[in-house]
Amino acid sequence: MLKVTAVSKAEVDGCPVRQVLSKVTGKWQMLIVLALEDGTLRFGELKRTVGDITQRVLTENLRSLERDGYLTRDVDAGPPVAVRYTLTDMGQELLPLLKALTGWAASRHSDVARSRAAFDQQR
């Protein structure tokens, strides 16, 4: 088993599993990567595709994903200015892993809902 236990801040900061997974398994990061599956999107298109994300949160998550190398940002000075986002090779490599996880989540949603209801009835 991979070592996932950390007993000090230095171990937490140096743990590759924590460092990578924390940046790609958040709700917004996953939705952004999945939204870019079919190709490049402009900022507004990406915001509409994700839907319930604020401009600020989308911007923060795009910067984080760009910083870590999952996507590229291309600015066309225009006019009008157009900002486009595209998955990198590493982002493309991540995509099927996220699709498998989201597929599993969709297929198990009713089981989770039943478990939650049973748990809540016991309380």
Side-chain angles (χ1 to χ4, degrees):
M1 179 175 146
L2 281 172
K3 183 176 186 270
V4 294
T5 304
V7 294
S8 69
K9 179 161 176 22
E11 285 182 348
V12 168
D13 292 343
C15 177
V17 173
R18 291 168 192 251
Q19 293 299 311
V20 173
L21 289 182
S22 69
K23 296 294 185 166
V24 296
T25 57
K27 171 177 73 171
W28 299 121
Q29 295 94 336
M30 290 180 71
L31 292 174
I32 291 166
V33 171
L34 291 166
L36 291 169
E37 174 183 13
D38 292 330
T40 301
L41 290 176
R42 291 178 60 170
F43 183 89
E45 294 170 318
L46 194 48
K47 186 172 182 328
R48 283 188 297 279
T49 300
V50 174
D52 60 335
I53 189 169
T54 66
Q55 184 169 330
R56 180 184 64 81
V57 171
L58 178 57
T59 299
E60 289 171 358
N61 281 275
L62 287 167
R63 284 185 183 147
S64 178
L65 289 166
E66 180 184 13
R67 179 177 182 243
D68 287 354
Y70 299 107
L71 56 84
T72 58
R73 178 180 184 263
D74 179 52
V75 180
D76 179 5
V81 174
V83 182
R84 293 177 179 83
Y85 296 90
T86 307
L87 291 177
T88 62
D89 289 344
M90 189 164 62
Q92 289 287 346
E93 184 181 340
L94 175 63
L95 191 57
L97 303 170
L98 294 182
K99 286 177 69 173
L101 183 57
T102 56
W104 175 85
S107 71
R108 297 302 253 166
H109 181 259
S110 59
D111 297 322
V112 171
R114 278 192 300 279
S115 292
R116 286 177 180 171
F119 181 88
D120 292 347
Q121 283 181 348
Q122 294 174 358
R123 300 280 168 206

